[in-house]
Amino acid sequence: MAAQQVMIRWKVTADALERHQEMLQTVYAELESVRPDVLRYDTYQLEDKVTFVSFVELANGPGVLGTLDAFQRYRAALDAMCEEPPSLTALECVGRYAAEK
């Protein structure tokens, strides 16, 4: 099965920004603890500070994120924090380069 790649974009309200950042950091802390090898998950904060974009690559489908307690709590609270709800876009890689470290 080929890796599934998606981009997710959302915008939180200014008053929810601090809570959002804390919950997102909890998700990344759990990812560091669990270290699932079938997942690549990058989140970026845009210049306006309230818009976020995540790039997700899942080797075995979306199941691994749903098993994380921190992600379940984050996702359950996210819609209430959003000015613009998460919008998911499937991606198809047409080229990739990564320098060896």
Side-chain angles (χ1 to χ4, degrees), residues 1-43:
M1 171 188 232
Q4 179 184 10
Q5 299 176 11
V6 295
M7 177 183 70
I8 307 159
R9 180 184 170 113
W10 67 100
K11 185 175 185 177
V12 299
T13 61
D15 62 328
L17 183 59
E18 186 175 337
R19 179 172 180 238
H20 174 264
Q21 295 283 68
E22 291 168 358
M23 292 187 81
L24 191 57
Q25 290 306 314
T26 302
V27 170
Y28 276 97
E30 186 172 3
L31 283 168
E32 283 295 324
S33 173
V34 174
R35 302 198 62 78
D37 61 356
V38 296
L39 172 69
R40 179 174 178 173
Y41 189 54
D42 302 309
T43 302

Side-chain angles (χ1 to χ4, degrees), residues 28-101:
Y28 276 97
E30 186 172 3
L31 283 168
E32 283 295 324
S33 173
V34 174
R35 302 198 62 78
D37 61 356
V38 296
L39 172 69
R40 179 174 178 173
Y41 189 54
D42 302 309
T43 302
Y44 300 89
Q45 185 176 26
L46 277 55
E47 289 181 82
D48 68 3
K49 302 296 184 197
V50 293
T51 304
F52 294 82
V53 178
S54 285
F55 294 94
V56 185
E57 184 173 325
L58 303 149
N60 297 326
V64 69
L65 282 173
T67 65
L68 302 174
D69 291 337
F71 184 80
Q72 290 175 20
R73 288 189 302 274
Y74 170 72
R75 190 59 194 99
L78 184 58
D79 287 340
M81 293 187 281
C82 284
E83 181 177 316
E84 294 175 16
S87 171
L88 186 122
T89 304
L91 302 173
E92 183 176 336
C93 182
V94 296
R96 176 179 288 175
Y97 170 81
E100 295 295 321
K101 292 183 182 182

